[in-house]
Amino acid sequence: LGWEELRLAARDPDLTIGAHTVTHPMLAKHADATAQREITESAARITRELGRPVRHFAYPVGDPTSAGPRDFALVREAGFTTAVTTRPGHLFPAHSRRLEALPR
């Protein structure tokens, strides 16, 4: 979708638009500063374009090693409410303690 289509969709209060990085890298394979920039700049751009905060994040790439503990901490520090990993699985009550590392 383009920004105009996203702006139109974002008017719906029941629709949630989350962040996903700027360039779709395997975060765990990059330096701290690069990973942090990918995470925070994606949310900042969406917030600027849509005029609403971004509360949720989806880690890119389908490999289970694409994001790890350092990346989960960066997402938590960036202020996201939740984040989904590329790891398959079901949600259980214990996941409430790790909302920045939920399975998809």
Side-chain angles (χ1 to χ4, degrees), residues 11 57 63 67 75 79 90:
R11 292 181 191 164
F57 186 83
D63 181 317
V75 164
H90 299 284

Side-chain angles (χ1 to χ4, degrees), residues 68-87:
R70 185 244 4 221
D71 309 299
F72 304 153
L74 290 172
V75 164
R76 186 176 50 250
E77 291 165 11
F80 289 96
T81 304
T82 65
V84 292
T85 68
T86 58
R87 298 170 182 162

Side-chain angles (χ1 to χ4, degrees), residues 22-46:
V22 177
T23 65
H24 204 266
M26 294 177 80
L27 292 172
K29 310 293 185 215
H30 292 276
D32 294 356
T34 300
Q36 182 181 39
R37 185 172 48 254
E38 286 283 339
I39 292 163
T40 59
E41 286 185 14
S42 65
R45 172 84 191 270
I46 294 168

